[in-house]
Coordinates of all heavy atoms in Angstrom, one line a residue:
M24 N 5.7 14.4 19.9 CA 5.6 13.1 19.4 C 6.0 13.1 17.9 O 5.4 13.9 17.1 CB 4.2 12.5 19.6 CG 4.0 11.1 19.1 SD 2.3 10.4 19.4 CE 2.3 10.3 21.2
N25 N 6.9 12.3 17.4 CA 7.2 12.3 16.0 C 6.3 11.4 15.2 O 5.4 10.7 15.8 CB 8.7 11.8 15.8 CG 8.9 10.3 16.2 OD1 8.0 9.6 16.3 ND2 10.1 10.0 16.6
I26 N 6.4 11.4 13.9 CA 5.4 10.7 13.0 C 5.4 9.2 13.2 O 4.4 8.6 13.2 CB 5.7 11.1 11.5 CG1 4.5 10.6 10.7 CG2 7.0 10.6 11.0 CD1 3.2 11.2 10.9
E27 N 6.6 8.7 13.4 CA 6.7 7.2 13.7 C 5.9 6.8 14.9 O 5.2 5.8 14.9 CB 8.1 6.7 13.8 CG 8.9 6.7 12.4 CD 9.4 8.1 12.0 OE1 9.3 9.0 12.8 OE2 9.7 8.2 10.8
A28 N 6.0 7.6 16.0 CA 5.3 7.3 17.2 C 3.8 7.5 17.0 O 3.0 6.7 17.5 CB 5.8 8.2 18.3
K29 N 3.4 8.5 16.2 CA 2.0 8.7 15.9 C 1.4 7.5 15.1 O 0.4 7.0 15.4 CB 1.8 10.0 15.2 CG 2.0 11.2 16.0 CD 1.7 12.5 15.3 CE 1.8 13.7 16.2 NZ 1.5 14.9 15.4
L30 N 2.2 7.1 14.1 CA 1.7 5.9 13.3 C 1.6 4.7 14.1 O 0.8 3.8 13.9 CB 2.7 5.7 12.1 CG 2.6 6.8 11.0 CD1 3.7 6.5 10.0 CD2 1.2 6.8 10.4
G31 N 2.5 4.6 15.2 CA 2.5 3.4 16.0 C 1.2 3.3 16.8 O 0.9 2.2 17.4
L32 N 0.4 4.4 16.9 CA -0.8 4.4 17.7 C -2.0 3.8 16.9 O -3.0 3.5 17.4 CB -1.2 5.8 18.1 CG -0.2 6.4 19.1 CD1 -0.7 7.9 19.4 CD2 -0.2 5.7 20.4
D33 N -1.8 3.7 15.5 CA -2.9 3.2 14.7 C -3.0 1.7 14.9 O -2.1 1.0 15.1 CB -2.5 3.5 13.2 CG -2.5 5.0 12.9 OD1 -3.2 5.7 13.6 OD2 -1.7 5.4 12.0
A34 N -4.3 1.3 14.7 CA -4.5 -0.2 14.8 C -5.1 -0.6 13.4 O -5.7 0.3 12.7 CB -5.5 -0.5 15.9
F35 N -5.0 -1.8 13.1 CA -5.5 -2.3 11.8 C -6.4 -3.5 12.0 O -6.1 -4.4 12.8 CB -4.3 -2.7 10.9 CG -3.4 -1.6 10.6 CD1 -2.4 -1.3 11.5 CD2 -3.6 -0.8 9.5 CE1 -1.5 -0.2 11.2 CE2 -2.7 0.3 9.2 CZ -1.7 0.6 10.1
I36 N -7.5 -3.5 11.3 CA -8.4 -4.7 11.3 C -8.1 -5.4 9.9 O -8.5 -4.8 8.9 CB -9.8 -4.4 11.5 CG1 -10.0 -3.7 12.9 CG2 -10.7 -5.6 11.4 CD1 -11.4 -3.3 13.2
L37 N -7.5 -6.5 9.9 CA -7.0 -7.1 8.7 C -8.1 -7.9 8.0 O -8.9 -8.6 8.6 CB -5.9 -8.1 9.0 CG -4.6 -7.4 9.7 CD1 -3.6 -8.5 9.9 CD2 -4.1 -6.3 8.8
D38 N -8.1 -7.7 6.7 CA -9.0 -8.4 5.8 C -8.2 -9.6 5.2 O -6.9 -9.5 5.2 CB -9.5 -7.5 4.7 CG -10.8 -8.0 4.0 OD1 -11.1 -9.2 4.2 OD2 -11.4 -7.3 3.2
K39 N -8.8 -10.6 4.7 CA -8.1 -11.6 4.0 C -7.7 -11.3 2.6 O -6.8 -11.8 2.0 CB -9.0 -12.9 4.0 CG -9.2 -13.5 5.3 CD -10.1 -14.7 5.2 CE -10.4 -15.3 6.6 NZ -11.4 -16.3 6.6
E40 N -8.5 -10.4 2.0 CA -8.3 -10.0 0.6 C -7.7 -8.6 0.5 O -8.1 -7.7 1.3 CB -9.6 -10.0 -0.2 CG -10.2 -11.4 -0.3 CD -11.5 -11.4 -1.1 OE1 -11.7 -10.5 -1.8 OE2 -12.3 -12.4 -0.9
T41 N -6.8 -8.4 -0.4 CA -6.2 -7.1 -0.6 C -7.2 -6.1 -1.2 O -8.0 -6.5 -2.0 CB -4.9 -7.2 -1.4 OG1 -4.3 -5.9 -1.5 CG2 -5.2 -7.7 -2.9
H42 N -7.0 -4.8 -0.8 CA -7.8 -3.8 -1.5 C -7.1 -3.1 -2.5 O -7.6 -2.1 -3.2 CB -8.4 -2.8 -0.4 CG -7.3 -2.1 0.4 ND1 -6.5 -2.8 1.3 CD2 -6.8 -0.9 0.3 CE1 -5.7 -1.9 1.8 NE2 -5.8 -0.8 1.2
I43 N -5.8 -3.4 -2.7 CA -5.0 -2.9 -3.8 C -4.4 -4.0 -4.6 O -3.6 -4.8 -4.1 CB -3.8 -2.0 -3.2 CG1 -4.4 -0.9 -2.3 CG2 -3.0 -1.4 -4.3 CD1 -3.3 -0.1 -1.5
V44 N -4.8 -4.1 -5.9 CA -4.3 -5.1 -6.7 C -3.2 -4.6 -7.6 O -3.4 -3.5 -8.2 CB -5.4 -5.7 -7.6 CG1 -4.9 -6.7 -8.6 CG2 -6.5 -6.3 -6.7
I45 N -2.1 -5.2 -7.7 CA -1.0 -4.8 -8.6 C -1.1 -5.6 -9.8 O -1.0 -6.9 -9.8 CB 0.4 -5.1 -7.9 CG1 0.5 -4.4 -6.5 CG2 1.5 -4.7 -8.8 CD1 1.7 -4.8 -5.7
H46 N -1.2 -4.9 -10.9 CA -1.2 -5.6 -12.2 C 0.3 -5.8 -12.6 O 0.9 -4.8 -13.1 CB -2.0 -4.8 -13.3 CG -3.4 -4.7 -13.0 ND1 -4.3 -5.8 -13.1 CD2 -4.2 -3.7 -12.5 CE1 -5.5 -5.4 -12.7 NE2 -5.5 -4.1 -12.3
Q47 N 0.8 -7.0 -12.4 CA 2.2 -7.2 -12.6 C 2.7 -7.0 -14.0 O 3.8 -6.6 -14.2 CB 2.6 -8.6 -12.1 CG 2.3 -8.9 -10.6 CD 3.2 -8.1 -9.7 OE1 4.3 -7.6 -10.1 NE2 2.9 -8.1 -8.4
E48 N 1.8 -7.3 -15.0 CA 2.2 -7.2 -16.4 C 2.5 -5.7 -16.7 O 3.3 -5.4 -17.6 CB 1.2 -7.8 -17.3 CG -0.1 -7.0 -17.4 CD -1.1 -7.2 -16.3 OE1 -0.8 -7.9 -15.3 OE2 -2.2 -6.7 -16.4
I49 N 1.8 -4.8 -16.1 CA 2.1 -3.3 -16.3 C 3.3 -2.9 -15.4 O 4.2 -2.2 -15.8 CB 0.8 -2.5 -15.9 CG1 -0.3 -2.9 -16.8 CG2 1.2 -1.0 -16.1 CD1 -1.7 -2.2 -16.4
C50 N 3.3 -3.3 -14.1 CA 4.3 -3.0 -13.2 C 5.7 -3.3 -13.6 O 6.6 -2.5 -13.5 CB 4.0 -3.6 -11.8 SG 5.1 -3.1 -10.5
K51 N 5.8 -4.5 -14.2 CA 7.2 -4.9 -14.6 C 7.8 -4.1 -15.7 O 9.0 -4.1 -15.9 CB 7.2 -6.4 -15.0 CG 6.5 -6.7 -16.3 CD 6.5 -8.2 -16.5 CE 5.7 -8.6 -17.8 NZ 5.6 -10.1 -18.0
K52 N 7.0 -3.3 -16.4 CA 7.5 -2.4 -17.5 C 7.9 -1.1 -17.0 O 8.6 -0.3 -17.7 CB 6.4 -2.2 -18.6 CG 6.1 -3.5 -19.3 CD 4.9 -3.3 -20.3 CE 4.4 -4.6 -20.9 NZ 3.2 -4.4 -21.7
C53 N 7.6 -0.8 -15.7 CA 7.9 0.5 -15.1 C 9.3 0.5 -14.6 O 9.7 -0.4 -13.8 CB 6.9 0.8 -14.0 SG 7.3 2.2 -13.0
E54 N 10.1 1.5 -15.0 CA 11.5 1.5 -14.4 C 11.6 2.4 -13.2 O 12.4 2.2 -12.3 CB 12.4 2.1 -15.5 CG 12.6 1.2 -16.7 CD 13.5 1.8 -17.7 OE1 14.2 2.7 -17.4 OE2 13.6 1.2 -18.8
A55 N 10.7 3.3 -13.0 CA 10.7 4.3 -11.9 C 10.4 3.6 -10.6 O 11.0 3.9 -9.6 CB 9.8 5.5 -12.1
K56 N 9.4 2.8 -10.6 CA 9.0 2.1 -9.3 C 8.8 3.1 -8.2 O 9.3 3.0 -7.1 CB 10.0 1.1 -8.9 CG 10.3 0.0 -10.0 CD 9.2 -1.1 -10.0 CE 9.6 -2.3 -10.8 NZ 9.1 -2.3 -12.2
Y57 N 8.0 4.2 -8.4 CA 7.8 5.2 -7.5 C 7.1 4.7 -6.2 O 7.4 5.2 -5.1 CB 6.9 6.3 -8.0 CG 7.5 7.1 -9.1 CD1 6.9 7.1 -10.4 CD2 8.7 7.8 -9.0 CE1 7.4 7.9 -11.4 CE2 9.2 8.5 -10.0 CZ 8.6 8.5 -11.3 OH 9.2 9.2 -12.3
C58 N 6.3 3.7 -6.3 CA 5.6 3.1 -5.1 C 6.6 2.7 -4.0 O 6.3 2.8 -2.8 CB 4.7 2.0 -5.5 SG 5.6 0.6 -6.4
L59 N 7.8 2.3 -4.4 CA 8.8 1.9 -3.4 C 9.2 3.0 -2.5 O 9.7 2.8 -1.4 CB 10.0 1.3 -4.1 CG 9.9 0.0 -4.8 CD1 11.1 -0.3 -5.6 CD2 9.6 -1.1 -3.9
Y60 N 9.1 4.3 -3.0 CA 9.6 5.4 -2.3 C 8.5 6.3 -1.7 O 8.8 7.1 -0.8 CB 10.5 6.3 -3.3 CG 11.5 5.4 -4.0 CD1 11.3 5.1 -5.3 CD2 12.6 4.9 -3.3 CE1 12.2 4.3 -6.0 CE2 13.5 4.1 -4.0 CZ 13.3 3.8 -5.3 OH 14.2 3.0 -5.9
V61 N 7.3 6.3 -2.2 CA 6.3 7.2 -1.8 C 5.4 6.7 -0.6 O 4.8 7.5 0.1 CB 5.4 7.7 -2.9 CG1 6.3 8.4 -4.0 CG2 4.6 6.6 -3.5
C62 N 5.3 5.4 -0.5 CA 4.4 4.9 0.5 C 4.9 5.2 2.0 O 6.0 4.8 2.3 CB 4.3 3.4 0.4 SG 3.3 2.6 1.7
P63 N 4.1 5.9 2.7 CA 4.6 6.3 4.1 C 4.8 5.1 5.0 O 5.5 5.2 6.0 CB 3.5 7.2 4.6 CG 2.3 6.9 3.8 CD 2.8 6.4 2.5
G64 N 4.1 4.0 4.7 CA 4.3 2.8 5.5 C 5.4 1.9 5.0 O 5.6 0.8 5.6
R65 N 6.1 2.3 3.9 CA 7.1 1.4 3.2 C 6.6 0.0 3.0 O 7.2 -1.0 3.4 CB 8.4 1.4 4.1 CG 9.0 2.7 4.4 CD 9.7 3.3 3.2 NE 10.4 4.5 3.5 CZ 10.0 5.7 3.3 NH1 8.7 5.9 2.8 NH2 10.7 6.8 3.5
L66 N 5.4 -0.1 2.4 CA 4.7 -1.4 2.3 C 5.0 -2.1 1.0 O 4.7 -3.2 0.8 CB 3.2 -1.1 2.4 CG 2.7 -0.5 3.7 CD1 1.2 -0.2 3.7 CD2 3.1 -1.4 4.9
Y67 N 5.6 -1.4 0.0 CA 6.0 -2.0 -1.2 C 7.4 -2.5 -1.2 O 8.3 -1.9 -0.6 CB 5.9 -1.0 -2.4 CG 4.4 -0.7 -2.8 CD1 3.7 0.3 -2.1 CD2 3.8 -1.5 -3.7 CE1 2.4 0.6 -2.5 CE2 2.4 -1.2 -4.1 CZ 1.8 -0.2 -3.4 OH 0.5 0.1 -3.8
S68 N 7.6 -3.7 -1.8 CA 9.0 -4.2 -1.9 C 9.0 -5.1 -3.2 O 8.0 -5.5 -3.7 CB 9.3 -5.1 -0.7 OG 8.5 -6.2 -0.6
I69 N 10.2 -5.5 -3.6 CA 10.4 -6.4 -4.7 C 10.7 -7.7 -4.2 O 11.6 -7.9 -3.4 CB 11.5 -5.9 -5.6 CG1 11.2 -4.5 -6.1 CG2 11.7 -6.9 -6.8 CD1 11.3 -4.1 -7.5
N70 N 9.8 -8.7 -4.6 CA 10.1 -10.1 -4.2 C 11.4 -10.6 -4.8 O 11.5 -10.6 -6.0 CB 8.9 -10.9 -4.7 CG 9.0 -12.4 -4.3 OD1 10.0 -13.0 -4.5 ND2 7.9 -12.9 -3.7
Q71 N 12.3 -11.0 -4.0 CA 13.6 -11.3 -4.5 C 13.6 -12.6 -5.3 O 14.5 -12.8 -6.1 CB 14.6 -11.5 -3.3 CG 14.8 -10.2 -2.5 CD 15.4 -9.1 -3.4 OE1 16.3 -9.3 -4.1 NE2 14.8 -7.9 -3.3
E72 N 12.6 -13.4 -5.1 CA 12.6 -14.7 -5.8 C 11.9 -14.5 -7.2 O 12.4 -15.1 -8.2 CB 11.8 -15.8 -5.0 CG 12.6 -16.2 -3.8 CD 11.8 -17.3 -3.0 OE1 10.9 -17.9 -3.6 OE2 12.2 -17.5 -1.9
T73 N 10.8 -13.8 -7.2 CA 10.1 -13.6 -8.5 C 10.4 -12.4 -9.2 O 10.1 -12.3 -10.4 CB 8.5 -13.7 -8.2 OG1 8.2 -12.5 -7.5 CG2 8.2 -14.9 -7.4
G74 N 10.9 -11.4 -8.5 CA 11.2 -10.1 -9.2 C 9.9 -9.2 -9.3 O 10.0 -8.1 -9.8
E75 N 8.8 -9.7 -8.8 CA 7.6 -9.0 -8.9 C 7.4 -8.0 -7.7 O 8.0 -8.2 -6.6 CB 6.4 -9.9 -8.9 CG 6.3 -10.7 -10.2 CD 5.0 -11.5 -10.3 OE1 4.4 -11.8 -9.3 OE2 4.6 -11.9 -11.4
M76 N 6.6 -7.0 -7.9 CA 6.3 -6.0 -6.8 C 5.3 -6.7 -5.8 O 4.4 -7.5 -6.2 CB 5.6 -4.8 -7.4 CG 5.4 -3.7 -6.4 SD 6.9 -3.0 -5.8 CE 7.6 -2.2 -7.3
A77 N 5.6 -6.5 -4.6 CA 4.8 -7.1 -3.5 C 4.3 -5.9 -2.6 O 4.9 -4.9 -2.5 CB 5.7 -8.1 -2.7
L78 N 3.2 -6.2 -2.0 CA 2.6 -5.2 -1.1 C 2.1 -5.8 0.2 O 1.3 -6.8 0.1 CB 1.4 -4.5 -1.8 CG 0.5 -3.6 -1.0 CD1 1.2 -2.4 -0.4 CD2 -0.7 -3.2 -1.8
E79 N 2.5 -5.2 1.3 CA 1.9 -5.6 2.6 C 0.7 -4.8 2.9 O 0.7 -3.8 3.6 CB 3.0 -5.4 3.7 CG 4.2 -6.2 3.6 CD 4.1 -7.6 4.1 OE1 3.2 -7.8 4.9 OE2 5.0 -8.4 3.8
F80 N -0.4 -5.2 2.3 CA -1.6 -4.4 2.3 C -2.2 -4.2 3.7 O -2.9 -3.3 4.0 CB -2.7 -4.9 1.3 CG -3.3 -6.2 1.7 CD1 -4.4 -6.2 2.6 CD2 -2.8 -7.4 1.3 CE1 -5.0 -7.4 2.9 CE2 -3.3 -8.6 1.7 CZ -4.5 -8.6 2.5
G81 N -1.9 -5.1 4.6 CA -2.5 -5.0 5.9 C -2.1 -3.8 6.7 O -2.7 -3.4 7.7
G82 N -1.0 -3.2 6.3 CA -0.5 -2.0 7.0 C -0.8 -0.7 6.3 O -0.3 0.4 6.7
C83 N -1.7 -0.8 5.3 CA -2.0 0.4 4.5 C -2.7 1.5 5.3 O -3.7 1.2 6.1 CB -2.9 0.0 3.3 SG -3.4 1.3 2.3
L84 N -2.3 2.7 5.1 CA -2.8 3.9 5.8 C -4.0 4.5 5.0 O -4.5 5.5 5.4 CB -1.7 4.9 6.1 CG -0.6 4.3 6.9 CD1 0.6 5.2 6.8 CD2 -1.0 4.2 8.4
E85 N -4.2 4.0 3.8 CA -5.3 4.5 3.0 C -5.2 5.9 2.5 O -6.1 6.7 2.4 CB -6.7 4.2 3.7 CG -6.9 2.8 4.0 CD -8.2 2.6 4.9 OE1 -9.1 3.4 4.8 OE2 -8.2 1.6 5.6
C86 N -3.9 6.3 2.3 CA -3.6 7.7 1.9 C -3.8 7.9 0.4 O -4.0 9.0 0.0 CB -2.2 8.1 2.3 SG -0.9 7.1 1.5
G87 N -3.7 6.8 -0.4 CA -3.9 7.0 -1.8 C -2.6 7.4 -2.6 O -2.7 7.6 -3.8
T88 N -1.5 7.6 -1.9 CA -0.3 8.2 -2.5 C 0.2 7.2 -3.6 O 0.5 7.7 -4.7 CB 0.8 8.4 -1.5 OG1 0.3 9.2 -0.4 CG2 2.0 9.0 -2.1
C89 N 0.2 6.0 -3.4 CA 0.7 5.0 -4.4 C -0.2 5.1 -5.7 O 0.3 4.9 -6.8 CB 0.7 3.6 -3.8 SG -0.8 3.0 -3.2
M90 N -1.5 5.2 -5.5 CA -2.4 5.3 -6.6 C -2.0 6.5 -7.5 O -2.0 6.4 -8.8 CB -3.8 5.4 -6.2 CG -4.9 5.7 -7.2 SD -6.5 5.8 -6.6 CE -6.4 7.2 -5.4
I91 N -1.7 7.6 -6.9 CA -1.3 8.8 -7.7 C 0.0 8.6 -8.3 O 0.3 9.0 -9.4 CB -1.4 10.0 -6.8 CG1 -2.9 10.3 -6.4 CG2 -0.8 11.3 -7.5 CD1 -3.1 11.3 -5.3
A92 N 0.9 8.0 -7.5 CA 2.3 7.9 -8.0 C 2.5 6.9 -9.1 O 3.4 7.0 -9.9 CB 3.2 7.5 -6.8
C93 N 1.6 5.9 -9.2 CA 1.7 4.9 -10.2 C 1.2 5.4 -11.5 O 0.0 5.2 -11.9 CB 0.9 3.6 -9.8 SG 1.2 2.3 -10.9
V94 N 2.0 6.1 -12.2 CA 1.6 6.8 -13.4 C 1.3 5.9 -14.6 O 0.6 6.3 -15.5 CB 2.7 7.8 -13.9 CG1 2.8 9.0 -12.8 CG2 4.0 7.2 -14.1
D95 N 1.7 4.6 -14.5 CA 1.4 3.7 -15.6 C 0.1 2.9 -15.3 O -0.3 2.1 -16.1 CB 2.5 2.7 -15.7 CG 3.8 3.3 -16.2 OD1 3.7 4.2 -17.1 OD2 4.9 2.9 -15.8
G96 N -0.5 3.2 -14.2 CA -1.8 2.6 -13.9 C -1.8 1.1 -13.6 O -2.7 0.3 -13.9
A97 N -0.7 0.7 -12.9 CA -0.6 -0.7 -12.5 C -1.4 -1.1 -11.3 O -1.4 -2.3 -11.0 CB 0.9 -1.0 -12.3
L98 N -2.0 -0.1 -10.6 CA -2.7 -0.4 -9.4 C -4.2 -0.3 -9.6 O -4.7 0.7 -10.1 CB -2.2 0.5 -8.3 CG -0.7 0.5 -7.9 CD1 -0.5 1.5 -6.8 CD2 -0.3 -0.9 -7.5
D99 N -4.9 -1.3 -9.1 CA -6.3 -1.2 -9.0 C -6.6 -0.9 -7.5 O -6.5 -1.8 -6.7 CB -7.0 -2.5 -9.4 CG -8.5 -2.5 -9.4 OD1 -9.0 -1.4 -9.1 OD2 -9.1 -3.5 -9.7
W100 N -6.9 0.4 -7.2 CA -6.9 0.8 -5.8 C -8.3 1.0 -5.3 O -9.1 1.7 -5.9 CB -6.1 2.2 -5.7 CG -5.7 2.6 -4.3 CD1 -4.5 2.5 -3.8 CD2 -6.5 3.2 -3.3 NE1 -4.4 3.0 -2.5 CE2 -5.7 3.5 -2.2 CE3 -7.8 3.6 -3.2 CZ2 -6.1 4.1 -1.0 CZ3 -8.3 4.2 -2.1 CH2 -7.4 4.4 -1.0
N101 N -8.6 0.5 -4.2 CA -9.9 0.6 -3.5 C -9.7 0.8 -2.0 O -8.7 0.3 -1.5 CB -10.8 -0.6 -3.8 CG -11.2 -0.7 -5.2 OD1 -12.0 0.0 -5.8 ND2 -10.5 -1.7 -5.9
Y102 N -10.7 1.4 -1.4 CA -10.6 1.4 0.1 C -10.9 -0.1 0.6 O -11.6 -0.8 -0.1 CB -11.7 2.3 0.7 CG -11.3 3.8 0.6 CD1 -11.9 4.6 -0.3 CD2 -10.3 4.3 1.5 CE1 -11.5 6.0 -0.4 CE2 -9.9 5.6 1.4 CZ -10.5 6.4 0.5 OH -10.1 7.7 0.4
P103 N -10.5 -0.4 1.8 CA -10.8 -1.7 2.3 C -12.3 -1.9 2.5 O -13.1 -0.9 2.6 CB -10.1 -1.8 3.6 CG -9.0 -0.8 3.6 CD -9.6 0.3 2.6
R104 N -12.8 -3.1 2.5 CA -14.2 -3.3 2.8 C -14.6 -2.7 4.1 O -13.7 -2.5 5.0 CB -14.5 -4.8 2.8 CG -14.3 -5.5 1.5 CD -14.8 -6.9 1.5 NE -14.1 -7.7 2.5 CZ -14.6 -8.8 3.1 NH1 -15.8 -9.3 2.7 NH2 -13.9 -9.5 3.9
G105 N -15.9 -2.4 4.3 CA -16.4 -1.8 5.5 C -16.0 -2.6 6.7 O -16.1 -3.8 6.8
G106 N -15.5 -1.9 7.8 CA -15.1 -2.6 9.0 C -13.6 -3.1 9.0 O -13.1 -3.5 10.1
F107 N -12.9 -3.0 7.8 CA -11.5 -3.4 7.8 C -10.6 -2.2 7.5 O -11.1 -1.1 7.1 CB -11.4 -4.4 6.7 CG -12.0 -5.8 6.9 CD1 -13.3 -6.0 6.3 CD2 -11.5 -6.7 7.7 CE1 -13.9 -7.2 6.6 CE2 -12.1 -7.9 8.0 CZ -13.3 -8.2 7.4
G108 N -9.4 -2.4 7.7 CA -8.4 -1.4 7.4 C -7.9 -0.7 8.7 O -8.1 -1.1 9.8
V109 N -7.3 0.5 8.4 CA -6.7 1.3 9.5 C -7.8 1.9 10.4 O -8.8 2.3 9.9 CB -5.7 2.3 8.9 CG1 -6.5 3.4 8.1 CG2 -4.9 3.0 10.0
Q110 N -7.5 1.9 11.6 CA -8.4 2.5 12.6 C -7.6 3.6 13.3 O -6.8 3.4 14.2 CB -8.8 1.5 13.7 CG -9.3 0.1 13.1 CD -10.6 0.2 12.4 OE1 -11.6 0.7 12.9 NE2 -10.5 -0.2 11.1
Y111 N -7.8 4.9 12.8 CA -7.1 6.0 13.3 C -7.6 6.4 14.7 O -8.8 6.3 14.9 CB -7.2 7.2 12.3 CG -6.4 7.0 11.1 CD1 -7.0 6.8 9.9 CD2 -5.0 7.1 11.1 CE1 -6.3 6.7 8.7 CE2 -4.3 6.9 10.0 CZ -4.9 6.7 8.8 OH -4.2 6.6 7.6
R112 N -6.6 6.8 15.5 CA -6.9 7.2 16.8 C -6.7 8.7 16.8 O -5.6 9.2 16.5 CB -6.0 6.6 17.8 CG -6.3 7.0 19.2 CD -5.4 6.3 20.2 NE -5.4 7.0 21.4 CZ -4.6 6.6 22.4 NH1 -3.7 5.7 22.3 NH2 -4.7 7.3 23.6
F113 N -7.7 9.5 17.1 CA -7.6 10.9 17.2 C -7.6 11.4 18.6 O -8.2 10.8 19.5 CB -8.8 11.6 16.5 CG -8.9 11.2 15.0 CD1 -9.7 10.2 14.6 CD2 -8.1 11.9 14.1 CE1 -9.8 9.9 13.2 CE2 -8.2 11.6 12.7 CZ -9.0 10.6 12.3
G114 N -6.9 12.5 18.8 CA -6.8 13.1 20.1 C -5.6 12.6 20.9 O -4.8 11.9 20.6
Ligands
SF4_217 FE1 1.1 3.0 1.1 FE2 -0.7 4.9 1.1 FE3 -0.6 3.2 -0.9 FE4 -1.5 2.4 1.5 S1 -2.5 3.9 0.1 S2 -0.1 1.3 0.2 S3 -0.2 3.6 2.8 S4 1.0 4.7 -0.3

């Protein structure tokens, strides 16, 4: 089973509020935009209308990679509230 198939087994309990806040005033100064490339869920994108970074937080795998990759500190990263977020299936 490849990684895409394995990720397809995960389920998500969606919260109304994001657990990762993007500080746009910091993000817009970053030229590298590493978050676009490192997220295994490809959840980051640039809003074509506003030019701001956008995140589909509902599909977050809670790996923390974006937090580490965002060297300018534009992310306020937390785990989802209890009972929300990814529900990994083991076995
Ligand atoms: Fe993507 Fe991982 Fe960051 Fe979630 S924690 S947005 S899966 S890089």
Side-chain angles (χ1 to χ4, degrees):
M24 181 181 290
N25 63 26
I26 189 66
E27 286 79 13
K29 287 182 178 179
L30 289 173
L32 296 175
D33 297 330
F35 298 87
I36 298 178
L37 301 180
D38 199 352
K39 293 178 183 172
E40 297 180 21
T41 183
H42 59 286
I43 303 172
V44 175
I45 304 170
H46 296 289
Q47 298 290 347
E48 71 280 5
I49 299 173
C50 184
K51 68 183 178 186
K52 296 176 186 170
C53 170
E54 294 183 11
K56 304 279 192 262
Y57 295 121
C58 57
L59 291 171
Y60 310 104
V61 299
C62 175
R65 303 287 188 262
L66 302 176
Y67 286 89
S68 63
I69 304 232
N70 183 308
Q71 295 303 313
E72 293 183 15
T73 66
E75 292 188 335
M76 188 62 68
L78 168 63
E79 297 275 344
F80 68 89
C83 179
L84 301 165
E85 301 171 27
C86 65
T88 306
C89 56
M90 173 181 58
I91 294 168
C93 184
V94 292
D95 292 324
L98 300 180
D99 184 3
W100 198 101
N101 295 283
Y102 283 106
R104 295 187 300 156
F107 293 99
V109 66
Q110 313 292 304
Y111 286 109
R112 178 178 166 188
F113 297 100

